Amino acid sequence: MVFGVATLATAQMQDVVYLNNGSIIKGKIIEKTPAGAVKIETMCGSVFAYSGEQIQSMTTEKMTSIYGKKIVDLPKHIFGIRGGALFSKVSLGSFLDDASKKHLKTGFHIGGIYEVSLQNTNRWYFQTGLDFQYIRGKHTTVDELGFDDFWDDEPSDDNTILTKTKAMYIEIPAMFTCKVELGKNLLLCPAFGLAYNLGLTGKYTYEAPSEGEYETGNPFNEDGDYNPLFGRHCVSFKAALNFVIKRHCFIGCGVFAHPLFGDHWGLSATVGYNF
């Protein structure tokens, strides 16, 4: 049903009445008689009536402007699919300290989007959808209890504590995007807004060789642990710079951050298709 609606979505159209005296009236025909008389309402709300003898011809055309503002040649409703890579540095709760080093890890995302125009000119859109995300994190730190500064110039692998994490999320964005025409077949679409993230499942591993410790667990703080690695529910800030080629092909990059849970942040590289 969703894709059927997307297929049927069309650009805004208007009626055009050509009069015998050379005048051209554009708007919406609200009444038409069998004798050929019509009533047409213009964009400013004025209504004009013409008899069949006054009319030379009638047609319909795409609207190119409203009140002098140019209309972007896009449908009111846009559906699309998206996918790509996520590069993130993930918050690891209070495991982090001054000696810790976070590593940029690669994950991925895939999902669908829905956009609805907020203006008659199809310039600003509200964007939402559903996105599946696989996020990975890693950090290393030196075990100070197992490191002898007198004998060792630098820590060995046995003195390094390693924490690895991974989590799967469902994201629901609530963003605003603007369509800026750079050419006949190219649109610049900057976007910004928020997103709600719901954690589905995940895992962490903790290795401290010098202390002989190794453990795995759930990173979502299910049991009231004061030291979660991921937030089960979190809100992120998002911004993106996207391009649409020939109305259908999508490519873009973005940044995201979870300020309400640690310092998890990252970058995204996305491709997609608009139906």
Side-chain angles (χ1 to χ4, degrees):
M1 181 182 67
V2 168
F3 291 114
V5 172
T7 303
L8 293 175
T10 58
Q12 297 182 36
M13 305 295 291
Q14 66 181 350
D15 298 310
V16 183
V17 176
Y18 296 90
L19 302 179
N20 292 324
N21 63 8
S23 299
I24 301 174
I25 311 300
K26 297 182 178 182
K28 180 180 180 181
I29 293 178
I30 58 176
E31 185 179 328
K32 187 176 182 179
T33 68
V38 299
K39 285 185 179 180
I40 183 169
E41 182 178 0
T42 64
M43 285 299 302
C44 63
S46 301
V47 177
F48 300 94
Y50 302 99
S51 65
E53 290 78 13
Q54 294 176 286
I55 298 174
Q56 183 183 82
S57 63
M58 294 183 292
T59 186
T60 60
E61 66 178 19
K62 288 184 179 180
M63 297 175 62
T64 58
S65 65
I66 296 177
Y67 302 123
K69 296 181 179 180
K70 186 178 180 181
I71 297 175
V72 179
D73 187 19
L74 291 173
K76 182 176 179 61
H77 304 275
I78 299 175
F79 297 84
I81 55 175
R82 301 285 187 267
L86 295 175
F87 308 94
S88 57
K89 286 190 174 182
V90 179
S91 169
L92 297 175
S94 59
F95 278 119
L96 287 177
D97 53 36
D98 293 338
S100 296
K101 179 181 179 181
K102 292 179 293 183
H103 301 265
L104 193 68
K105 301 296 291 183
T106 304
F108 68 89
H109 72 104
I110 186 169
I113 63 100
Y114 165 67
E115 295 181 352
V116 58
S117 176
L118 300 176
Q119 297 176 303
N120 291 331
T121 56
N122 292 340
R123 184 71 61 178
W124 282 94
Y125 282 75
F126 173 76
Q127 182 186 97
T128 186
L130 202 63
D131 196 45
F132 172 81
Q133 299 180 341
Y134 175 71
I135 298 175
R136 300 167 61 217
K138 174 184 175 181
H139 94 280
T140 55
T141 189
V142 176
D143 182 1
E144 296 179 353
L145 296 178
F147 176 53
D148 191 338
D149 292 325
F150 181 79
W151 296 105
D152 298 330
D153 293 331
E154 59 184 32
S156 66
D157 292 340
D158 291 339
N159 303 124
T160 301
I161 297 175
L162 174 65
T163 304
K164 295 182 179 180
T165 58
K166 59 183 179 181
M168 299 179 186
Y169 279 90
I170 288 292
E171 180 180 271
I172 303 175
M175 303 181 68
F176 297 94
T177 178
C178 180
K179 313 295 186 182
V180 180
E181 293 175 301
L182 298 182
K184 182 178 179 181
N185 294 313
L186 181 63
L187 287 175
L188 171 65
C189 307
F192 63 93
L194 303 175
Y196 166 71
N197 300 84
L198 171 64
L200 300 178
T201 184
K203 181 181 179 180
Y204 79 87
T205 60
Y206 174 81
E207 301 178 39
S210 62
E211 299 178 6
E213 291 187 12
Y214 177 85
E215 66 179 59
T216 64
N218 188 336
F220 287 122
N221 193 20
E222 295 292 328
D223 300 323
D225 182 8
Y226 69 91
N227 192 23
L229 304 181
F230 288 91
R232 173 73 77 174
H233 305 275
C234 50
V235 176
S236 59
F237 289 131
K238 296 172 67 74
L241 189 62
N242 308 313
F243 296 89
V244 176
I245 305 170
K246 294 184 178 181
R247 297 187 57 177
H248 297 291
C249 299
F250 176 95
I251 184 170
C253 59
V255 296
F256 61 89
H258 298 283
L260 301 183
F261 184 77
D263 55 356
H264 176 190
W265 65 272
L267 307 171
S268 64
T270 305
V271 296
Y273 186 84
N274 292 339
F275 296 96

